[in-house]
Amino acid sequence: MAISIGTSFSSQVRPEDPAEDQPTLGLIGMGAMGRMYANLLAKAGWKKIHVCDLPSKYEELKEKYSNVPTITVMKDGHAVARSSDFMMYSVEAEFINKVVAEYGPSTKIGAIVAGQTSVKAPEKEAFEKYLPEDTEIVSCHSLHGPTVSPLGQPLILIKHRAQDSSLHLVEQIFRSFGSRYVYLSYEEHDLVTANTQAVTHAAFLSMGTAWASAKLYPWEQGLYVGGMETVKVNLALRIYSNLWHVYAGLAILNPKAKEQIDQYAKSVTELYKMMVEAGNKGEVNGNGYANGHGNINGNGHEKEKEKQLRERVEWARDKVFRKRNDEKRKPILLSQEILDKFSLGQRPSSPTSGSPGSSNYTPNSHLSLLAMVDCWAHLSINPFDHLSLAATPLFRLFLGVAEHLFLSPSLLNSAIHSAIYDTWHRSDDLEFVVAARGWSQCVRFGSFEVYRKRFDETREFFESRFEEAGKLGSDMIKEVMKSEVENK
């Protein structure tokens, strides 16, 4: 049982207070998120911030913060742990046990300790095993990347082994972030993050790998351009512009995430097979588009397969979105016209296919979206349960795209029609199936090294486009987040 003596600092302490009245804030790990926390705390006015990274990075880090008097760079985690009243481990979930084992015993008596890891089960185990019993645990997790403003974003706080006053002090330390506090247990955190991130990441990772395997930038072909495609392309590139370990820990170390990624690959595969089996045997033009509505009559077998595909898609729609039609809440996604402003390519000036509801956009199967909703339906996950609780910007946007597709009868009918009768995207869909199954196998094997290699191979293909896509993606997220605030 913990023998905590608690912190001696008032939970009402402010950055404006004299330095001697402020707690010393410590950060072990100065990667992208560690730097974000250090910079935000310094900007808020906290006067005693001790940080460290790997010993090999000491001189470089010291030079970087030489002009920031409130940030002191320490040689190692022992120095940070011994001097900090509140300290945070901002390290990869894969290494949290090793790092806490090394520096945990040096933790200052009565200190409050947190971890900024994406998977909390290994963190909880490490903290309980290696932290002295006279320390307290109030952990955290900002559900956004280092390039996204924390304003209004969910910041999970986990009061695991602490007094109420210690939780209030942590709240006060982070208040300047402008984040929205969400209070969970370690176990609830891992369930919520799996439900809001696992399938989203799997979908975007698979998109990127499929495009890289086909050796094409799809938006340059005038096919995957505009509207919903704008979100998919920008967010796929956004994921690959980050470091691989940001996603690997959640996928490999969270059992719930493994289950969902496996089901997503299964949904992708089964839906693709149904599309092929129901495929058009009628006349197809030279561009791979069905003429008009294709062979509507078909033979009995094909018609039955088409019926089965439609029934499965509509079953998933009803199970996931059944209650949404009765709610007054505005849709998540912005209009397609606004999204077009953030497109990397130009959409065609006229419809390319005879598919119903195609408007000015080239219809395609939207296999990634159909499979995502199918996956949620099979696992009985209601994505809206966690939307207001702890949704990341990526999850919010991808759910918005799915909502936009599934709640529009014309768009959904167009996707199903294209999936069956258009052949131009069939090879792209096959690449997507292979990619989704590959990522699922990678996660099932539990190999961080294989995960890194798969990620970096794809990342290399898109690297030259990150700067352009990064700005457009950030602007798009800001616009959607602004719209969400106005809706509320």
Side-chain angles (χ1 to χ4, degrees), residues 398-430:
F398 207 34
L399 176 56
V401 174
E403 181 183 47
H404 187 69
L405 174 64
F406 275 81
L407 295 188
S408 169
S410 63
L411 287 176
L412 189 60
N413 186 50
S414 177
I416 296 173
H417 181 279
S418 183
I420 297 171
Y421 296 115
D422 289 340
T423 60
W424 68 266
H425 54 71
R426 193 68 51 84
S427 61
D428 294 340
D429 285 350
L430 178 59

Side-chain angles (χ1 to χ4, degrees), residues 134-364:
D134 55 18
T135 59
E136 299 189 289
I137 301 171
V138 179
S139 205
C140 63
H141 185 198
S142 290
L143 293 186
H144 58 86
T147 61
V148 175
S149 167
L151 188 65
Q153 298 293 344
L155 171 53
I156 293 178
L157 295 179
I158 301 171
K159 179 193 166 193
H160 179 63
R161 189 178 81 190
Q163 303 176 57
D164 288 344
S165 58
S166 297
L167 172 63
H168 298 327
L169 176 58
V170 175
E171 293 171 335
Q172 189 70 0
I173 290 171
F174 292 145
R175 198 166 303 282
S176 61
F177 287 27
S179 297
R180 174 171 52 84
Y181 294 140
V182 178
Y183 303 92
L184 300 174
S185 67
Y186 272 127
E187 292 73 22
E188 289 168 338
H189 169 279
D190 282 357
L191 177 60
V192 167
T193 52
N195 287 353
T196 57
Q197 297 182 45
V199 175
T200 312
H201 293 168
F204 286 122
L205 289 169
S206 300
M207 281 182 217
T209 297
W211 293 331
S213 297
K215 297 289 187 282
L216 61 85
Y217 301 114
W219 56 92
E220 292 183 348
Q221 317 302 313
L223 298 174
Y224 300 97
V225 175
M228 293 183 287
E229 301 300 339
T230 299
V231 177
K232 291 196 283 186
V233 167
N234 275 300
L235 296 189
L237 266 63
R238 190 176 188 85
I239 278 190
Y240 278 103
S241 68
N242 287 320
L243 297 175
W244 66 276
H245 66 76
V246 174
Y247 312 103
L250 169 68
I252 293 175
L253 298 176
N254 189 327
K256 283 292 182 183
K258 284 185 177 182
E259 175 188 349
Q260 292 179 27
I261 292 168
D262 182 66
Q263 176 59 51
Y264 184 70
K266 185 177 180 181
S267 293
V268 168
T269 303
E270 292 177 354
L271 286 171
Y272 179 73
K273 287 180 179 178
M274 295 176 78
M275 291 173 183
V276 172
E277 290 172 348
N280 177 37
K281 299 299 183 183
E283 185 180 353
V284 178
N285 64 32
N287 294 321
Y289 296 97
N291 291 325
H293 292 268
N295 182 8
I296 298 299
N297 295 321
N299 61 44
H301 175 76
E302 290 157 3
K303 294 304 295 180
E304 179 60 28
K305 291 299 181 181
E306 176 177 344
K307 181 171 178 283
Q308 290 175 5
L309 174 62
R310 288 184 179 276
E311 287 178 346
R312 177 156 175 170
V313 171
E314 289 168 0
W315 166 79
R317 176 199 63 195
D318 293 342
K319 188 161 185 180
V320 173
F321 296 103
R322 182 188 305 119
K323 299 178 181 178
R324 303 304 298 167
N325 290 321
D326 300 328
E327 296 186 7
K328 302 299 182 184
R329 184 190 182 286
K330 292 182 180 178
I332 297 170
L333 198 61
L334 295 168
S335 69
Q336 295 198 88
E337 289 73 20
I338 292 179
L339 288 174
D340 282 349
K341 295 190 305 183
F342 307 108
S343 178
L344 289 170
Q346 298 298 315
R347 62 185 174 90
S349 58
S350 61
T352 321
S353 167
S355 299
S358 60
S359 181
N360 281 354
Y361 300 89
T362 304
N364 69 72

Side-chain angles (χ1 to χ4, degrees), residues 61-116:
L61 198 61
K62 191 174 180 180
E63 175 64 24
K64 180 177 179 63
Y65 288 102
S66 59
N67 294 323
V68 186
T70 56
I71 296 181
T72 303
V73 178
M74 317 294 276
K75 287 191 173 181
D76 57 32
H78 292 296
V80 173
R82 289 176 60 191
S83 61
S84 300
D85 302 293
F86 169 75
M87 63 169 292
M88 183 170 68
Y89 287 87
S90 185
V91 300
E92 301 160 37
E94 180 187 5
F95 303 119
I96 188 70
N97 187 76
K98 178 181 177 182
V99 177
V100 178
E102 183 172 359
Y103 301 127
S106 297
T107 308
K108 185 178 181 180
I109 294 176
I112 305 169
V113 182
Q116 166 66 13

Side-chain angles (χ1 to χ4, degrees), residues 25-42:
L25 313 180
L27 280 162
I28 293 179
M30 287 294 283
M33 289 302 290
R35 292 195 302 273
M36 184 198 81
Y37 267 75
N39 295 338
L40 288 172
L41 292 170

